[in-house]
Amino acid sequence: MFQFLEPHAPLVTLKVDGRDVQVPAGASVALALLANTGGPTRYSPAAHGPRAPFCLMGVCHECTVEIEGQGITRSCLSTVCPGMRISTETGNGTL
Ligand code: FES
């Protein structure tokens, strides 16, 4: 459904929920997730409803994920780096 506009950019490998994913260097984490999983990035704490990136500019907070070493963060404002470990946020997450 989603694809990157620069298919020849160098790739970096991340782990998303334990699965290896390759994305172009310099992409945001939100774009990496949309292109590779197409699914929710988090589940709401109260109703456990699936949520996904909406604004892609840091306003809506629908894209939060847990990034190892950074805690819960907005994926649209984070840039991928090699070896990054990302987890889908479930419930309240950890700070
Ligand atoms: S998509 Fe809205 S804050 Fe990230």
Side-chain angles (χ1 to χ4, degrees), residues 53-63 74 76:
F54 181 69
C55 72
L56 295 173
M57 59 183 189
V59 176
C60 72
H61 291 236
E62 295 292 4
C63 66
R74 287 170 284 179
C76 67

Side-chain angles (χ1 to χ4, degrees), residues 31-92:
L31 293 179
L33 296 171
L34 286 171
N36 283 283
T37 68
T41 54
R42 71 179 186 97
Y43 291 86
S44 62
H48 305 288
R51 315 301 288 180
F54 181 69
C55 72
L56 295 173
M57 59 183 189
V59 176
C60 72
H61 291 236
E62 295 292 4
C63 66
T64 55
V65 293
E66 188 161 355
I67 298 176
E68 188 177 76
Q70 297 179 32
I72 294 181
T73 187
R74 287 170 284 179
S75 61
C76 67
L77 299 181
S78 299
T79 303
V80 298
C81 22
M84 185 179 254
R85 293 177 177 268
I86 302 163
S87 302
T88 301
E89 185 189 339
T90 56
N92 292 324

Side-chain angles (χ1 to χ4, degrees), residues 8-9 18-19:
H8 303 296
R19 185 172 63 97

